[in-house]
Each structure stands twice: as structure tokens, then as C-alpha cells.
Amino acid sequence: MNHSAPDVVVIGHAPGPELHVLPVGATVQRLLVTGGDGVRRDVVLGLADGEAVRASTDYVGSIVGRYANRIAHGRFTLDGIEHEVPANDRGHHLHGGPEGFHTRTWDVVEKSADEVTLELVSPDGDAGYPGELTVRAAYRVEGDVVRLDITATTTAPTIVNLTSHAYFNLHGSGTIDDHLLQVDASRYTPVGADSIPTGGHAAVDGTPFDLRRPTRLGDPVRADHPEVRDARGIDHNLVLDGSGWRPVAVLDGPVTRTRLELWSDQPGLQVYTGNFLAGTSLDRAGRMLRQGDGLCLEPQLAPDTPNREPADGTTDPDWPSAVLRPGQTYRNRMAWLFSSLA
């Protein structure tokens, strides 16, 4: 643990976004924005401090990895070698395991009034993953936009899938039921009761995962659908339309007249409606975080990608590779653009 790390780093300022970042987990602790109603409020769930983040199993605001989302049975094969990683979710690997990147103290390597860059070096063999991985998370506030650029390099072939696990609530309190969400995704990844993909991707037509038009979140979360019942809500990968740097989702908070537009360069977006928040984590005010208190919009690769890649080394366009090799740079760029609803 880096005892010299600051307790919290603050970038940005009113009237634009003001972001508070904890070095533990490179975690978004607070994100203050001015709503369309003229009131300034915190629009993310946040824990009291780094120790609370480390003790929680809800990944509140943290960068998760080395592999965000799930790896079936905690096993994958890379270049003919099988690797085993901790099984911490119903017999499967989730978000880097119980001591994933969300529990680590990252080094603050660059800091200015509007930008902070944090770095983490994950040693070869960390949690069973091959290769020493050097990760950087750069947060930057520009006007009404908060940008997050995640990069990583490795000393040996490995797998990487990193993302932000920030929970948004544009109303500042209460549930996300009355938020409206639109996601540009014509397909999703069906999963079994254990949240592991059952095969390929499927059309969203006629399912609760059709969010191509603004949808009140309380409706699909309560839909009579087997996957929604199993997941206690939505906890699914939506296969994003298009490619490259593009707007992929819009979240509206009608009560505060606040809009969040998400930009991403990733192929998938894990939409998670806070289904497993069970009062075990307390927010900064000491209130229990409960089911539906926040929404995660996690740009990333699809779940269990390392076990879906063709063994012959070819690529499957439906399952972009998670493999990172020496000399390559992994990148995940995202931006949160805030504006007012009319």
C-alpha cells in the first residue's frame, strides 16, 4: 500500500463538473454537476474513503480489472496454456477477483487543476494473470464533459478488460426507477442464471433489453423475463451499434432535468441496475446502499470473451479479442457529457 497517496484528488470546478477521485481503486467518489433545475448535486454513489472502498464488494465507483465482468469457472487458455483466476461469483471470476484493481492503491503520477492520472503496476502472476501489466487511468474535466482514458501495457501475453464501475443517480437520491435510458444496441448477450453467456448474441427485439428508445428503467427491471428474474434486474452486455468513438447511450433524470450522454470506443456496454446492492455498503452520509439506488454503464468487451475466442488464433468479429501482447497498448476511452433537459 502506498501510504503517501493523497486521501482524495479533486479536479474541475463549478459551474462545470467537479470530480473527486480516491487513489484506492482509482475510484470516482463524488461527481458534482449543476442540474437542469439549477441545483448543484452529486450524481454518483460514493463511499466514505479508500478503506470503505477496499472493504466493499460492490465496486462503488472503482476501476475494475484485470478483467471486468465474468470469466467462466475462473479459467481461460492463452497460447495453449491454461490459467486459473479466483472464482468469486457463483463459481466464476468477476471483476479481477476479490483482490482486484478496485482494492489497490494507485499512484497519482500527474495532477493539474482539471486532470489527474493514476497508475497501477500489476505484477506477473497477479491473481493468476500472466504478464506484468502497467495501467493508467486519466480523468479530465473539459467544460461539461468528464473524460476517462484507460490504457495498459504488458510484458507478456495476457488478457485485459478494464472499465469504470461508477453508479449514476442523476436525482442525487432515491432510486433510478424514473430515469430514462436509451442505448444504441440492436443486440445483447443472453446469459444463464449464473450470468455467463449461453452462446452468441441475440436481437433485443421483444425483450426488456431493447433500450433503443428512451425507456423508464423501472419497467424493464420488473419485466417478467427469465434473465431479468435471474439477475434481479438488468446486468447484461448490450452489443453496441457502430464502432469507433461515438455516442452510445443517454441517461435522463427528469426530476432534476439533467442529462448524461455516454461516449465510448468499446464494442459492448454492461448495463447494471444495482441489483445486488444489499445494504452492506454505506454511502458517505452513512446510508445503506440498496437495490436500484444507482445505475452502472460500463463500456467494455463482452463477458467471458477469453473463452469465446477461436482456438486457431483467428478473430471473431462478434467477440473482439481480449488478448494484449507486448508492444501493444490496450485502450478504453469514455466520456460523460452533462447537459440540461428542456
Side-chain angles (χ1 to χ4, degrees):
M1 180 176 175
N2 180 2
H3 292 282
S4 63
D7 294 331
V8 62
V9 178
V10 180
I11 60 172
H13 54 83
E18 180 183 297
L19 181 69
H20 295 224
V21 180
L22 299 171
V24 174
T27 296
V28 172
Q29 182 198 34
R30 302 182 72 191
L31 179 49
L32 299 170
V33 303
T34 303
D37 59 357
V39 178
R40 198 157 173 81
R41 59 175 57 81
D42 188 0
V43 295
V44 296
L45 305 186
L47 306 186
D49 53 30
E51 289 307 312
V53 171
R54 189 175 285 113
S56 172
T57 58
D58 294 320
Y59 313 98
V60 181
S62 300
I63 302 291
V64 290
R66 186 177 298 198
Y67 195 91
N69 218 314
R70 295 168 177 88
I71 297 175
H73 310 296
R75 296 178 183 275
F76 65 92
T77 299
L78 176 59
D79 295 340
I81 300 172
E82 184 176 79
H83 299 274
E84 185 171 353
V85 290
N88 60 319
D89 180 54
R90 295 167 285 178
H92 307 293
H93 181 75
L94 175 65
H95 292 335
E99 297 180 354
F101 292 176
H102 63 289
T103 69
R104 314 292 175 85
T105 299
W106 298 48
D107 292 318
V108 176
V109 292
E110 295 178 16
K111 169 71 172 71
S112 67
D114 296 313
E115 183 171 4
V116 61
T117 300
L118 303 99
E119 183 179 89
L120 178 69
V121 178
S122 171
D124 179 32
D126 189 5
Y129 289 97
E132 179 183 274
L133 193 75
T134 300
V135 184
R136 284 198 168 195
Y139 293 96
R140 185 168 70 257
V141 177
E142 295 179 353
D144 292 318
V145 182
V146 177
R147 301 184 183 276
L148 170 57
D149 293 353
I150 307 172
T151 58
T153 56
T154 183
T155 60
T158 191
I159 61 168
V160 183
N161 185 35
L162 304 166
T163 194
S164 168
H165 208 277
Y167 289 81
F168 291 98
N169 185 323
L170 300 182
H171 295 162
S173 62
T175 74
I176 55 169
D177 278 4
D178 290 330
H179 284 56
L180 303 178
L181 177 63
Q182 179 176 355
V183 180
D184 296 332
S186 304
R187 296 183 298 161
Y188 82 106
T189 308
V191 294
D194 56 359
S195 298
I196 297 298
T198 54
H201 307 306
V204 298
D205 302 77
T207 75
F209 313 109
D210 188 351
L211 303 174
R212 290 173 293 182
R213 294 181 179 86
T215 303
R216 179 183 175 274
L217 278 170
D219 297 333
V221 162
R222 289 168 178 80
D224 185 14
H225 186 282
E227 290 189 52
V228 173
R229 287 197 299 269
D230 288 337
R232 305 182 193 177
I234 297 177
D235 187 10
H236 290 75
N237 175 62
L238 300 188
V239 182
L240 295 170
D241 296 340
S243 62
W245 181 241
R246 65 214 187 278
V248 298
V250 176
L251 180 67
D252 286 343
V255 171
T256 61
R257 305 206 309 274
T258 305
R259 168 168 288 179
L260 164 61
E261 185 176 52
L262 173 66
W263 286 63
S264 170
D265 62 359
Q266 295 296 293
L269 180 70
Q270 187 79 9
V271 176
Y272 172 55
T273 52
N275 318 333
F276 295 96
L277 293 175
T280 55
S281 296
L282 304 180
D283 70 7
R284 293 183 307 102
R287 296 171 297 196
M288 292 188 297
L289 296 179
R290 303 306 299 247
Q291 187 178 45
D293 280 352
L295 172 71
C296 295
L297 299 171
E298 311 166 45
Q300 57 183 282
L301 300 176
D304 202 33
T305 286
N307 290 313
R308 311 285 159 162
E309 298 184 43
D312 61 4
T314 59
T315 58
D316 183 340
D318 270 351
W319 297 86
S321 179
V323 176
L324 181 70
R325 299 186 182 278
Q328 298 176 333
T329 299
Y330 166 90
R331 288 186 171 86
N332 182 349
R333 293 193 300 152
M334 67 191 76
W336 304 319
L337 170 60
F338 294 94
S339 60
S340 299
L341 293 176

